[in-house]
Amino acid sequence: MKKILLSLIMLVACMATEAKVIKITLADGTVKVFTSSELAAIDFNEDGTLTITTYDNQVLPALEADFESIDIAYDNVVTKTYPDQLSFNIDADGIPVDLHSDRDITKMNYVYTSTDPWGEPISLSGTILIPQNIWDGTDKCEGILMVNHYTKFHRDEAPTISNGELESMLLANHLKPNYIIVESDFYGFGATVRFTQAFLQGLVNARSSLDGLLAAKEILDEMGFDYGPLCFNIGYSSGGFDALAAQKLRDMEYADRISFDKTFSGGGPSDVCEAYRQYVILDRTAYNAVPLLLMVTTNETQRLNIDYADIFQPYICNRIDELILSKNYSSWPVCDEIGREKLIHEILMPAYCDLESPESMVMQNLFTSFSLNNEDSWTPDPSQRIYLFHSRGDDYVPIKSARPMISFLKSKGLKPSIIPGRTNFQTNFVVRNMGHLSATLIYFVQTLAAIKAWPEMYTDNQLNPAYASLVSAELNPVDIMRQLDAMGFDCRGFIQKVQEFIASHSEGSEIPLPDVATIISSVLEQQGITIEELAEMSEDSGLDIQAFLMELITYLNEPVDTGEGEGAGEGEGEGEGEGVEEGGGVEPAPQWKALYNKNATPCDVYEQQLRDWLNQSPNINF
């Protein structure tokens, strides 16, 4: 008899090519028989009864049961094998991006016990995605990717039903890494679709992911499946929030059962209250279905019973059931129904656009309780590694809702670094003005490069000596600028042209030539970046901006090197050394290739392979 952690591999109706028989044997020997197309969920009640829900939302009378004695039997392990077609088609800041690849995947859906938003036991559903070359034993599995899905609106977007872009990007990409994905539907989708989801609600989805991971491992163990030694925790957007929440809950409650080699959290609002405040202050977001979803799910799952006529403008309040609670719409159709151009004050009633109002303060207090940086109860485990990624130009999730997590983790003793392996806390808050969707590509490339390189980079959880030696050296900004020179970007010439421009505006006047810091400010301003943002970036990345400026002054005062080696004539760019062409930068390819071959790490190699793959498309300049 199996204890009811519900290690039941159960096929939902949409996955079955034929109905499979599910037999539930109760403590008194009574056998209840269902087909997989009938059974939606099994809920375990505190009074020791079972509540069974079918897929047509019929709730059967409660069955007397003994938790320790229930036996779930299945006639067959139900799976589906299909070609995973990676198709990622977005407009990345004006550049059409259309990525395609494929890989055969075996998919297994299962049901497991976890808790609902109030801590009560409930059955949730999840899926296991196994590349076919691992399923059939052709290749060894390196480990598990615990994926936390991004924002979902439609019932058919549940991972057990559909295939999301991030999952395909992780498995069906050019490198085809040998990992399997474990992913929960979360509360409110799949087996619990009849309930309102717990969007951005602190640790609710985190527990769903961690319990789903333990149940999936139990299933794989029972199958005798070797899923490898590594385990990564991954999520982007709201999934980035949930991934970080899972790391927090793991450190607080699951450390004796789960260990992550690294958590990759991208594009998430770790401070939910600040996200709400920024939506109101900025009065806009490019994804205005999200504030609507946040307000509705908070009202429903927190049982606030606020009349939606008090929260939303009249053209929205009467459509909440249709747009959100029914789960009949995907996110962009919801945006279309709202009106993509609608501002926040055109969606929310005035009381919720006034951050000082009593109504708004109720929500802000709840959102603060959901936030991941609001408690002192989390002491990060130093054996774990965290990667935080966010685009400064994110038009969905305000960057000010993501940066507080850096301050929080620093207050707990973690030292950020932009270099992988330098510390256990890696950050990348990119300066480039990339939107939320286009930044997904950067997050994807860096995450995938890391998990692909990990088996070569680490042995017994220790960095390989060559890479450890490389990252232990202090950062040298001048060397970085010289590498940029070798790639064809003339750092000195660029700054000097700005210097000349400023000087030309000062001729004949008594205004002195600005100092280097002012010149840098001018350069950054032309690119839409302030010196304050540069200082934030430096702080987020573990860099010393003052030391950088001093190095830059030294660099600017060095004489220009027009060539190396014999035969390199001044300004001719000939010979085997680095040559500078008249009026231009350095010839990029040979010099960069030499640098790359000299200093390449496994992570560099894989990332370059991914970039080469992405650049195969004529529509991409990545």
Side-chain angles (χ1 to χ4, degrees):
M1 305 291 276
K2 299 174 188 173
K3 279 191 177 182
I4 199 60
L5 287 170
L6 258 191
S7 48
L8 161 65
I9 303 176
M10 186 174 70
L11 196 66
V12 295
C14 63
M15 297 300 299
T17 54
E18 58 179 300
K20 302 298 179 181
V21 176
I22 310 295
K23 294 183 293 187
I24 304 177
T25 304
L26 303 179
D28 62 1
T30 304
V31 177
K32 298 290 182 180
V33 179
F34 300 89
T35 64
S36 56
S37 60
E38 294 174 326
L39 191 58
I42 308 173
D43 296 325
F44 296 88
N45 308 315
E46 283 189 346
D47 63 359
T49 62
L50 281 174
T51 299
I52 294 178
T53 307
T54 62
Y55 263 92
D56 57 1
N57 285 325
Q58 303 265 338
V59 180
L60 304 183
L63 301 172
E64 295 294 331
D66 180 342
F67 277 45
E68 297 297 318
S69 305
I70 303 169
D71 183 46
I72 305 292
Y74 47 87
D75 289 354
N76 294 287
V77 174
V78 184
T79 64
K80 178 183 179 181
T81 300
Y82 63 98
D84 187 10
Q85 300 290 335
L86 169 59
S87 181
F88 190 70
N89 193 334
I90 64 169
D91 187 305
D93 299 324
I95 302 171
V97 176
D98 193 6
L99 305 179
H100 295 282
S101 188
D102 62 84
R103 191 179 194 181
D104 287 343
I105 301 292
T106 292
K107 181 170 187 171
M108 300 193 302
N109 289 347
Y110 64 104
V111 178
Y112 63 98
T113 50
S114 188
T115 58
D116 65 16
W118 309 280
E120 299 298 326
I122 197 168
S123 299
L124 302 179
S125 49
T127 192
I128 304 171
L129 306 179
I130 305 178
Q132 192 62 24
N133 61 309
I134 297 176
W135 176 261
D136 61 22
T138 302
D139 293 300
K140 180 181 177 182
C141 184
E142 299 287 0
I144 291 175
L145 309 179
M146 190 187 83
V147 172
N148 303 267
H149 71 67
Y150 47 77
T151 306
K152 308 287 188 183
F153 280 69
H154 197 288
R155 63 181 60 239
D156 291 343
E157 293 172 338
T160 50
I161 298 174
S162 67
N163 306 309
E165 281 107 349
L166 183 57
E167 295 89 322
S168 295
M169 291 170 80
L170 289 169
L171 292 185
N173 64 79
H174 171 64
L175 295 183
K176 294 181 169 50
N178 288 324
Y179 291 86
I180 67 173
I181 283 178
V182 170
E183 187 171 11
S184 172
D185 282 331
F186 291 158
Y187 180 83
F189 288 98
T192 54
V193 71
R194 61 199 182 280
F195 301 127
T196 304
Q197 62 172 299
F199 181 65
L200 294 181
Q201 295 192 21
L203 305 180
V204 176
N205 290 340
R207 195 174 300 280
S208 302
S209 280
L210 297 178
D211 288 342
L213 175 64
L214 291 173
K217 285 186 173 182
E218 184 176 337
I219 290 169
L220 294 170
D221 286 339
E222 288 184 4
M223 295 171 60
F225 191 92
D226 183 1
Y227 45 80
L230 302 176
C231 187
F232 297 98
N233 174 26
I234 294 173
Y236 188 79
S237 194
S238 64
F241 173 91
D242 292 324
L244 197 58
Q247 180 66 68
K248 177 176 181 175
L249 186 60
R250 176 267 165 201
D251 291 353
M252 293 167 59
E253 297 184 23
Y254 289 73
D256 59 336
R257 291 172 287 169
I258 294 174
S259 180
F260 295 124
D261 290 277
K262 195 163 188 175
T263 285
F264 294 90
S265 171
S270 55
D271 191 326
V272 182
C273 183
E274 188 58 36
Y276 165 74
R277 291 177 60 85
Q278 288 300 309
Y279 288 143
V280 170
I281 291 169
L282 299 173
D283 197 27
R284 70 170 303 278
T285 171
Y287 198 33
N288 59 17
V290 164
L292 176 62
L293 179 67
L294 178 60
M295 300 295 280
V296 172
T297 56
T298 301
N299 189 36
E300 296 290 328
T301 58
Q302 298 300 309
R303 298 168 175 167
L304 301 179
N305 298 318
I306 303 174
D307 191 323
Y308 285 117
D310 295 331
I311 300 178
F312 298 111
Q313 295 289 343
Y315 77 101
I316 291 179
C317 69
N318 295 327
R319 302 187 66 191
I320 296 303
D321 284 347
E322 173 195 359
L323 296 178
I324 302 296
L325 299 178
S326 72
K327 299 191 179 80
N328 290 333
Y329 283 79
S330 295
S331 60
W332 285 114
V334 172
C335 289
D336 290 334
E337 291 294 319
I338 295 172
R340 296 194 187 191
E341 76 287 351
K342 286 289 194 270
L343 301 177
I344 299 301
H345 80 272
E346 296 174 303
I347 298 172
L348 299 179
M349 292 296 283
Y352 292 95
C353 292
D354 177 2
L355 296 178
E356 302 299 324
S357 73
E359 295 87 346
S360 174
M361 291 305 299
V362 169
M363 285 297 186
Q364 289 183 64
N365 289 336
L366 278 172
F367 295 154
T368 297
S369 71
F370 297 163
S371 300
L372 303 178
N373 56 311
N374 69 321
E375 300 174 4
D376 294 329
S377 57
W378 183 19
T379 301
D381 185 338
S383 73
Q384 304 289 284
R385 303 174 182 89
I386 296 174
Y387 171 57
L388 292 186
F389 173 94
H390 209 95
S391 170
R392 299 190 71 82
D394 194 317
D395 49 353
Y396 290 11
V397 181
I399 191 169
K400 287 189 176 181
S401 68
R403 291 195 72 246
M405 182 50 61
I406 295 180
S407 299
F408 175 81
L409 292 175
K410 286 170 66 175
S411 74
K412 298 296 184 179
L414 275 66
K415 182 179 179 181
S417 173
I418 202 167
I419 300 177
R422 182 180 289 272
T423 72
N424 64 337
F425 180 26
Q426 183 190 355
T427 60
N428 187 0
F429 278 49
V430 293
V431 175
R432 183 181 173 189
N433 188 28
M434 302 185 75
H436 186 81
L437 285 183
S438 50
T440 307
L441 286 173
I442 304 294
Y443 170 83
F444 153 66
V445 167
Q446 295 184 342
T447 300
L448 187 54
I451 64 173
K452 181 70 175 180
W454 203 275
E456 295 186 37
M457 296 275 285
Y458 287 81
T459 302
D460 296 330
N461 214 31
Q462 298 295 317
L463 273 174
N464 91 27
Y467 187 68
S469 173
L470 183 64
V471 299
S472 65
E474 288 300 317
L475 266 184
N476 187 333
V478 175
D479 285 343
I480 293 173
M481 287 186 282
R482 287 188 176 122
Q483 288 191 18
L484 289 172
D485 282 341
M487 294 170 66
F489 183 81
D490 185 2
C491 294
R492 182 187 284 106
F494 178 65
I495 295 173
Q496 286 176 340
K497 284 182 180 180
V498 176
Q499 193 173 27
E500 291 166 5
F501 174 81
I502 297 173
S504 68
H505 284 68
S506 303
E507 287 182 4
S509 70
E510 297 181 357
I511 301 175
L513 186 68
D515 58 20
V516 173
T518 303
I519 295 171
I520 293 174
S521 296
S522 301
V523 175
L524 294 173
E525 188 175 333
Q526 292 182 13
Q527 298 179 335
I529 304 168
T530 66
I531 194 70
E532 289 79 13
E533 287 178 310
L534 179 63
E536 282 184 356
M537 271 295 299
S538 300
E539 181 182 356
D540 294 345
S541 305
L543 297 175
D544 185 337
I545 187 64
Q546 291 183 338
F548 176 83
L549 291 176
M550 292 303 297
E551 292 280 6
L552 181 58
I553 292 170
T554 302
Y555 177 71
L556 288 174
N557 290 330
E558 287 182 352
V560 176
D561 183 5
T562 58
E564 293 180 6
E566 297 181 3
E570 183 175 350
E572 297 177 356
E574 298 177 351
E576 295 183 2
E578 297 178 2
V580 179
E581 297 179 359
E582 184 176 353
V586 182
E587 183 68 24
Q591 286 77 9
W592 172 240
K593 186 175 181 181
L595 277 167
Y596 182 78
N597 289 340
K598 179 180 178 181
N599 296 323
T601 68
C603 199
D604 293 329
V605 172
Y606 289 119
E607 183 161 343
Q608 188 60 42
Q609 287 177 354
L610 282 165
R611 290 177 183 275
D612 291 343
W613 171 58
L614 292 171
N615 281 324
Q616 288 174 5
S617 169
N619 294 328
I620 300 175
N621 180 15
F622 185 71

